[in-house]
Amino acid sequence: VHGQSVWLYGAGWGLRKLLNWVKRRYNNPVIYVTENGWSTAASTAEQAANDTDRVHYFANYTSEVRRAIEEDGVDVRGYFGWSLLDNYEWEMGYVERFGITFVDYELGLDPNAPTPNTHVPTPGQQLRRRKTSSCFLEQLWRNNRLLSPTAPNLCVEPIIFQGRYKDASKCTQVIGVSLGPSGSLTGTMPAAGKFCDNVTDLPYGPVFLAFSGSTVVCRNCWMGISFMQGFWSDDDLGIQWDDGTLWVKEL
């Protein structure tokens, strides 16, 4: 199996063999695997999210690490997949994607770049979306067990966002999800210096929303904010917005 990178091939058995070599050579030291990942090409969030090859890669490699621990007695204490986000990959720049989260770099002209060109990330509206491999690894860590790489419904769908929410100011926010996937947001804001009290609240909306997997994007939702994205959180049962605010869903 060959990754996007010309030098990258999949061989999970080789990692087990290497771990055993380190065990024998260095008298069974504590081992942390600090960088292990797979590159796949993608130009859109939808394309990137379906990273089946990366899921199989992690399933293969983590199973071999488990065998090294349980069958061979190798003292592996940690395993870190590479990487959390798509990022800058040395001589390949932003072309090769190792992340378990897709980043839409909005490639274009950056006047602040050392050598201005049209293939550098631009600031302000870089969509981020979890890939299937991210959800696979989350289930592995949460349940402490290996999953089939073909397990269904690893990631939540946009319909999870539909419903009523409360924010930190006790204001009500209502999200509707339709086909597309797109949707709308209506809600209330507190009057100056107050929390929402159902008396002095200031209504707004509806405003347009776009969804990409477990990410929701709102453009020009509030005055002075042209782009904002939120991420579904199973821990909070709500939306963590990129400005640090949290909306908790009313169940």
Side-chain angles (χ1 to χ4, degrees), residues 1-12 36-39 57 60-61:
V1 182
H2 189 202
Q4 181 189 11
S5 308
V6 296
W7 50 267
L8 183 57
Y9 292 85
N36 188 225
W38 188 253
S39 58
Y57 177 89
N60 187 9
Y61 274 68

Side-chain angles (χ1 to χ4, degrees), residues 29-59:
V30 172
I31 299 174
Y32 291 87
V33 179
T34 58
E35 183 177 326
N36 188 225
W38 188 253
S39 58
T40 56
S43 57
T44 68
E46 295 298 326
Q47 182 184 10
N50 186 28
D51 61 340
T52 304
D53 286 351
R54 184 177 289 109
V55 173
H56 279 82
Y57 177 89
F58 282 131

Side-chain angles (χ1 to χ4, degrees), residues 88 93-94 106-122:
Y88 184 81
Y94 298 98
E106 289 283 330
L107 297 174
L109 178 64
D110 183 357
N112 299 313
T115 303
N117 58 67
T118 59
H119 202 71
V120 292
T122 57

